[in-house]
Amino acid sequence: MYKCEWCSSENIKAVTDKVYWELPDGTKAIQIDDTPAVHCIDCQMTYQTELITKEIEDQLFLIDTKKLAKVITFEELMEQPRLLKRNYFDFTS
């Protein structure tokens, strides 16, 4: 069973949320709607898992961010054509 990363409660549910992300080049921030998230019923925190955070960071690094609108859905972001096959600067895996 998964637990809340903030309070360790098991009373959590999968939701989607609006998030704001600064682009890797620092030129602007975008709004990403319908982003997968976890919501804790007990502490009321809503957050993205490390996996979702990594997916967003990698995708923003691998696409032409100049073509992004100020508001985009998570699904639209993940469907953007990649300039590279993977993040060659990520040495964690």
Side-chain angles (χ1 to χ4, degrees), residues 24-74:
D25 63 5
T27 56
K28 67 179 179 179
I30 60 170
Q31 177 180 312
I32 308 170
D33 291 338
D34 302 323
T35 303
V38 174
H39 177 75
C40 178
I41 306 302
D42 292 332
C43 74
Q44 296 297 307
M45 286 297 295
T46 301
Y47 59 92
Q48 284 65 51
T49 63
E50 286 185 39
L51 178 63
I52 293 297
T53 299
K54 182 167 177 16
E55 282 185 49
I56 293 171
E57 293 286 336
D58 283 350
Q59 185 69 350
L60 288 174
F61 189 76
L62 298 172
I63 64 173
D64 184 358
T65 57
K66 290 175 181 48
K67 295 181 179 179
L68 292 179
K70 286 188 158 242
V71 179
I72 191 168
T73 67
F74 178 80

Side-chain angles (χ1 to χ4, degrees), residues 6-18:
W6 294 88
C7 73
S8 299
S9 169
E10 293 181 0
N11 196 11
I12 59 173
K13 66 179 180 177
V15 297
T16 59
D17 199 18
K18 177 188 323 181

Side-chain angles (χ1 to χ4, degrees), residues 59 62-64 67 77-84:
Q59 185 69 350
L62 298 172
I63 64 173
D64 184 358
K67 295 181 179 179
L77 175 65
M78 292 302 142
E79 290 174 351
Q80 294 294 307
R82 291 181 167 192
L83 302 174
L84 298 170

